[in-house]
Amino acid sequence: MSKVLIIEDEKNLARFVELELQHENYETLVEYNGRKGLDQALNGDFDVILLDLMLPELNGLEIARRVRQVKTTPIIMMTARDSVIDRVSGLDHGADDYIVKPFAIEELLARLRAVLRRVNLEKKSQNGIVSKQKIVKFNDLTIETANRIVHREGKSIDLTKREYNLLMTLIENKNNVVSREQLLDQIWGPESKIETNVVEVYVRYLRNKIDVPDRPSYIKTVRGTGYMMRTDDVE
Ligand code: CA
């Protein structure tokens, strides 16, 4: 069972989050005050910390900074202010993710699961359990298959599951045209009722992520047919 520390001074919100998390089988502890929250974060053994930004006695940024000096416990910042500055400074201070209030509980649960999944994967790979990690190369793309991360020109790019599947399908069929229908089959399943223009949308997402500005896309559109990735596209 994962343990979550909730540091939040709005009692109603704290209670609501606590109940929802307990319902999802998380163990929870709530602190309403920044200083007590920090004590718990430093001395307790939590899997994730949900951290409010504006707190009495000690603010969330300071808590994140101090926790990070000694611990790697993932921190999800909950902030009412949706400004870029806050996001950036939250992440600078060591938060792993942030969520903007008011949020849907489903969104919070999804973030929690994502953070925990990442941590578990890291733990496993440190213990050498994940041997399924494979590195796939395509021109100057390096793809880590276990965590769906692509590296290009020193940049790490996180792909969603569909984007990743799309990329891998194209690479597996490199130098051949893959039709939109084939991609639909491969990625959404033959039963799906999805229109082929969804494929175009995902190709666009993927291009935005892996392409380099002012250089031709690695994913060529073959008019009227589909898409192709060619190995001789290196400049
Ligand atoms: Ca607050």
Side-chain angles (χ1 to χ4, degrees):
M1 195 189 277
S2 298
K3 278 177 76 177
V4 183
L5 172 62
I6 304 164
I7 311 177
E8 167 61 75
D9 62 324
E10 282 170 56
K11 295 203 167 150
N12 287 338
L13 178 61
R15 184 72 188 138
F16 170 67
V17 170
E18 181 177 38
L19 288 174
E20 291 288 340
L21 293 190
Q22 286 172 356
H23 184 70
E24 298 290 321
N25 282 324
Y26 290 98
E27 207 176 303
T28 56
L29 182 84
V30 176
E31 288 294 352
Y32 304 115
N33 153 309
R35 199 160 293 280
K36 285 189 182 160
L38 177 65
D39 277 352
Q40 284 294 346
L42 293 178
N43 300 314
D45 184 23
F46 295 94
D47 297 293
V48 185
I49 301 169
L50 290 181
L51 180 59
D52 183 26
L53 186 62
M54 306 298 282
L55 287 162
E57 292 193 30
L58 202 60
N59 73 47
L61 291 181
E62 188 56 26
I63 294 173
R65 197 181 65 79
R66 294 205 202 167
V67 170
R68 218 25 105 239
Q69 286 173 344
V70 288
K71 284 188 150 179
T72 55
T73 317
I75 298 172
I76 301 178
M77 204 81 128
M78 302 182 289
T79 165
R81 290 183 286 163
D82 184 16
S83 77
V84 175
I85 292 286
D86 281 343
R87 292 184 197 186
V88 169
S89 61
L91 297 173
D92 276 354
H93 282 71
D96 296 83
D97 202 354
Y98 60 87
I99 186 164
V100 178
K101 293 187 209 170
F103 47 78
I105 195 71
E106 286 308 324
E107 194 190 345
L108 178 64
L109 293 172
R111 300 287 177 92
L112 265 178
R113 284 193 298 268
V115 163
L116 287 169
R117 219 171 21 238
R118 203 152 63 215
V119 170
N120 285 334
L121 203 70
E122 279 163 16
K123 274 191 197 152
K124 281 183 188 165
S125 66
Q126 278 160 12
N127 298 336
I129 295 167
V130 174
S131 52
K132 278 185 272 173
Q133 171 75 280
K134 255 183 26 195
I135 303 289
V136 173
K137 285 187 175 277
F138 177 88
N139 294 348
D140 67 350
L141 299 179
T142 305
I143 302 131
E144 294 174 16
T145 61
N147 45 10
R148 303 198 300 257
I149 291 178
V150 179
H151 300 273
R152 187 174 187 186
E153 302 196 335
K155 241 177 58 186
S156 300
I157 308 153
D158 248 316
L159 297 186
T160 66
K161 201 163 161 228
R162 290 211 203 282
E163 290 161 356
Y164 171 79
N165 289 343
L166 178 60
L167 177 64
M168 294 310 278
T169 306
L170 290 169
I171 290 179
E172 277 158 21
N173 295 286
K174 63 190 171 201
N175 304 320
N176 289 301
V177 183
V178 187
S179 71
R180 289 178 183 78
E181 289 74 17
Q182 260 173 287
L183 288 169
L184 263 187
D185 256 26
Q186 282 282 323
I187 296 154
W188 282 269
E191 302 297 308
S192 79
K193 300 273 182 291
I194 292 174
E195 305 278 325
T196 47
N197 59 9
V198 172
V199 176
E200 286 155 40
V201 173
Y202 274 83
V203 167
R204 196 159 66 231
Y205 291 156
L206 185 58
R207 279 179 173 150
N208 283 337
K209 287 192 176 179
I210 66 168
D211 283 347
V212 174
D214 304 321
R215 286 214 247 140
S217 175
Y218 268 158
I219 305 169
K220 304 275 172 253
T221 304
V222 182
R223 284 242 273 171
T225 324
Y227 301 94
M228 169 158 67
M229 286 181 77
R230 290 164 51 132
T231 39
D232 57 4
D233 264 349
V234 198
E235 291 156 81

